[in-house]
Amino acid sequence: MLIFDPKEKLKADRESLLEQLEQLNAKEPADMDSELYEAWADQHEELEDLLDEIQDLLDDME
């Protein structure tokens, strides 16, 4: 029987998001005034927001 552990799931999700953020950081556009950079920054901010939400949930579980 499998037992679902929400805390472990959140930790795994956090690790996945950290990996995605690392990959995204490696693709940061050089031209900060471009539309490509703006799209990159939006995606970066979204990942950081998700990481913050997960961390808040983990903190609440302790």
Side-chain angles (χ1 to χ4, degrees):
M1 178 200 315
L2 293 175
I3 298 175
F4 177 72
D5 184 349
K7 190 172 183 178
E8 290 304 313
K9 172 69 170 117
L10 286 171
K11 287 180 180 181
D13 289 346
R14 180 181 59 192
E15 289 305 311
S16 175
L17 288 171
L18 286 170
E19 288 174 17
Q20 291 176 49
L21 191 59
E22 185 176 319
Q23 291 171 1
L24 186 63
N25 283 338
K27 298 177 183 177
E28 181 178 355
D31 183 0
M32 295 177 82
D33 294 324
S34 68
E35 287 183 27
L36 185 60
Y37 188 89
E38 189 174 322
W40 175 89
D42 289 344
Q43 190 174 12
H44 194 276
E45 184 175 350
E46 185 177 321
L47 287 174
E48 287 183 327
D49 289 347
L50 289 170
L51 282 166
D52 287 344
E53 288 179 33
I54 287 174
Q55 190 59 54
D56 288 345
L57 289 169
L58 286 168
D59 291 345
D60 288 346
M61 290 180 166
E62 292 186 11

